[in-house]
Amino acid sequence: MSPEEFRELGKQVVDWIADYRAGIESYPVRSPVEPGWVRDRLPAHPPERGTGFEQVLGDLDEVLLPGITHWQHPAFFAYFPSGASGPAVLGDLLSSGLGVQGMLWATSPACTELEALAVDWLAELLGLPPHFRTDAAGGGIIQDSASGAALVACLAALHRASGGRVAAEGITGRYAMYVSEHTHASLARAARISGIGEDNVRVIGTDPRTRGLDPQELDRAIAADAAAGVVPALVCASIGTTSTTAVDPVRQVGEVCRERGVWLHVDAAYAGVAAVCPELRWISDGVAECADSYCTDPHKWLLTNFDCSVLWVADRGPLVQALSSTPEYLRNPASESGAVIDYRDWQVPLGRRFRALKLWSVLRWYGAEGLREHIRSGVELAREFAGEVAADDRFELLEEPVFGLVCFRPRYPDLDPAAADRRVLDRLEALNSAGNAYLTHTEVDGRVQVRMAIGAAGTERRHVHATWDAIRAAFFG
Ligand code: PLP
């Protein structure tokens, strides 16, 4: 493709995206296709001769679009939002256009230096402590996902807990990780992948009122392990759990970790970015004093398209020591000078995209004010929606929302709990199949809850109102 062909086709692609975004409300939010529908409509074998880019756009219109679930639709309320704002998409396009691979500072200095500055900016915007800055003892990095960040934190924690021996010897004894029943499943996976093993993941009880991890029980569990010769490696505290956005008491949990010398990882994948608003900054209480690692995902609620998960560490030493290895073919004077960051040593893969450009575009385009406005709008709409739910006695609100997620369930008093839950799921499926909105569910205290996660970039009050009408009709129509 020549630069001139690229220019022409690129304009068509940008027009396509702009038209798609302008007309997004005309699509069913959740894709209605059956398994295999998309593949069955595409050629089974690759072309012998190139078919031109028009064919790709044709495939997009005719086959791929029906198989798309429209995450940027303003009535997308499923899971958590995954914002792909205009500036983020353009930043990502520039990154693809540059096509650099930033595994080392030397392989594209701007890729590393912009990333370091972008995550420092974000740390400042979120009120995170100065030792998380890349010009201090710690530092931040953009990882692919909060799951990847948890794994990396786990490897650093194991490195520290083993006095550096794990890297050479592997896991020779037993190590334990501590979570609550509400911790994201990626932590158990990190235990599995890192060699800690799921049998050594201790699920600590929670306060039934706040659903926050119980620090006393944590302390007892760590002490029992230590007495039995098991090495406590990592505790995960969550700020905004996946099911209900519960917030663990990070400070108290962190004090136990400090006392016992255990690595504290704070998973704030969804909710951490809310700290851009001073009135929500209380969620980070204890992070400055106690967190060894902290992760939040701009690719959820901060208008930045996937993948962009930021992991900060208080001390980069254990992380870099756990992951670095230097084969001859990567040696270069800048790395050897010790004056640069080589982000390959902070992550599992070697290669890395220029992901900072999309975060940078978002931070520059919106500024702190624009980001606060976006978060506040989500919180406000969630509170209003929760008010509607609470005012309708056919529904039960789980609790007042703190962020953009509202959990609720319809009451079916004539049915036993299992039958009532089945009905909730059936009606939710019917609501989603109708295509006007998309919500998902979870289970809390053994009962199904419907989750309404507000925070897509284009969501306005009218979308929430229309969805509330659709919910009432679906559950009680
Ligand atoms: N942690 C929490 C609290 C989450 O809610 C999620 C996803 O929703 C994750 C981790 C995993 O996120 P990612 O897709 O970035 O791995």
Side-chain angles (χ1 to χ4, degrees):
M1 189 180 282
S2 69
E4 276 319 309
E5 285 173 309
F6 182 85
R7 190 187 310 281
E8 273 317 301
L9 291 167
K11 284 176 184 164
Q12 282 182 41
V13 167
V14 169
D15 280 346
W16 190 97
I17 297 172
D19 290 343
Y20 166 70
R21 293 294 177 101
I24 199 165
E25 292 190 45
S26 63
Y27 298 104
V29 187
R30 192 183 69 174
S31 167
V33 305
E34 297 293 329
W37 190 97
V38 173
R39 186 166 176 154
D40 288 349
R41 281 160 183 77
L42 293 169
H45 303 288
E48 185 59 28
R49 306 186 61 193
T51 51
F53 202 76
E54 289 74 11
Q55 186 68 61
V56 174
L57 290 177
D59 293 340
L60 192 54
D61 284 328
E62 285 148 36
V63 184
L64 300 180
L65 261 183
I68 294 290
T69 289
H70 301 280
W71 283 69
Q72 306 312 314
H73 194 297
F76 181 96
F77 300 117
Y79 308 105
F80 281 132
S82 183
S85 63
V89 173
L90 292 176
D92 216 13
L93 179 61
L94 288 170
S95 159
S96 295
L98 288 168
V100 303
Q101 210 274 55
M103 56 193 175
L104 302 166
W105 177 89
T107 60
S108 236
C111 186
T112 296
E113 294 194 13
L114 187 77
E115 180 158 334
L117 183 57
V119 297
D120 283 352
W121 272 17
L122 187 60
E124 185 178 324
L125 285 169
L126 302 181
L128 294 173
H131 56 260
F132 278 4
R133 290 178 58 91
T134 41
D135 52 12
I141 172 180
I142 303 178
Q143 299 274 342
D144 57 353
S145 63
S147 309
L151 174 60
V152 161
C154 195
L155 298 173
L158 276 173
H159 182 89
R160 194 176 79 179
S162 69
R165 284 191 305 282
V166 155
E169 298 169 12
I171 292 197
T172 50
R174 281 182 68 198
Y175 290 81
M177 174 192 282
Y178 306 81
V179 300
S180 89
E181 63 174 299
H182 304 296
T183 304
H184 192 264
S186 54
L187 270 295
R189 287 177 82 205
R192 206 194 286 177
I193 299 166
S194 66
I196 289 177
E198 284 205 53
D199 285 353
N200 296 311
V201 176
R202 313 279 183 251
V203 181
I204 306 299
T206 51
D207 178 328
R209 197 179 46 82
T210 62
R211 280 180 263 281
L213 194 148
D214 177 350
Q216 278 87 35
E217 191 179 324
L218 172 70
D219 191 46
R220 286 194 295 274
I222 293 176
D225 273 332
V230 179
V231 183
L234 177 140
V235 172
C236 177
S238 305
I239 297 179
T241 56
T242 312
S243 276
T244 67
T245 69
V247 177
D248 285 331
V250 175
R251 180 174 294 280
Q252 288 95 314
V253 168
E255 279 161 6
V256 172
C257 292
R258 292 190 91 178
E259 184 88 358
R260 302 267 177 198
V262 186
W263 186 286
L264 175 65
H265 176 64
V266 177
D267 177 4
Y270 160 70
V273 297
V276 74
C277 299
E279 68 275 20
L280 285 167
R281 204 159 282 171
W282 58 266
I283 62 175
S284 311
D285 179 49
V287 168
E289 296 79 3
C290 305
D292 292 291
S293 51
Y294 177 93
C295 166
T296 191
D297 286 355
H299 69 225
K300 287 191 166 65
W301 200 8
L302 207 68
L303 300 159
T304 310
N305 52 318
F306 196 86
D307 49 353
C308 184
S309 174
V310 183
L311 172 72
W312 286 275
V313 286
D315 172 8
R316 72 180 73 168
L319 175 62
V320 172
Q321 287 152 22
L323 294 174
S324 98
S325 77
T326 306
E328 186 55 34
Y329 48 80
L330 295 179
R331 285 192 189 282
N332 67 86
S335 298
E336 259 139 62
S337 75
V340 299
I341 286 179
D342 286 329
Y343 274 130
R344 71 180 179 113
D345 293 336
W346 298 46
Q347 61 173 22
V348 173
L350 169 62
R352 55 201 331 269
R353 302 176 60 230
F354 196 171
R355 284 183 292 225
L357 258 178
K358 60 187 171 191
L359 180 59
W360 185 251
S361 307
V362 166
L363 299 180
R364 274 211 183 274
W365 175 266
Y366 289 98
E369 237 173 45
L371 298 175
R372 282 187 212 116
E373 210 174 287
H374 171 64
I375 298 291
R376 283 182 182 140
S377 144
V379 171
E380 193 181 315
L381 290 176
R383 286 192 185 142
E384 282 177 25
F385 177 78
E388 300 277 8
V389 174
D392 186 331
D393 57 15
R394 295 171 302 168
F395 290 88
E396 191 181 315
L397 179 70
L398 182 69
E399 61 209 356
E400 282 298 322
V402 175
F403 306 107
L405 177 74
V406 183
C407 293
F408 64 96
R409 49 177 291 115
R411 299 178 207 266
Y412 294 127
D414 301 339
L415 299 178
D416 66 54
D421 280 353
R422 272 198 305 279
R423 181 176 289 178
V424 176
L425 292 177
D426 287 349
R427 299 286 170 101
L428 180 60
E429 179 54 27
L431 172 70
N432 290 332
S433 297
N436 300 318
Y438 183 20
L439 287 79
T440 46
H441 74 279
T442 188
E443 194 183 282
V444 180
D445 302 331
R447 299 303 305 274
V448 168
Q449 294 283 338
V450 180
R451 292 171 80 262
M452 169 100 174
I454 300 173
T459 305
E460 297 169 18
R461 189 163 280 112
R462 66 189 169 92
H463 301 108
V464 176
H465 281 170
T467 302
W468 176 227
D469 289 344
I471 288 169
R472 283 181 293 187
F475 289 107
F476 293 102

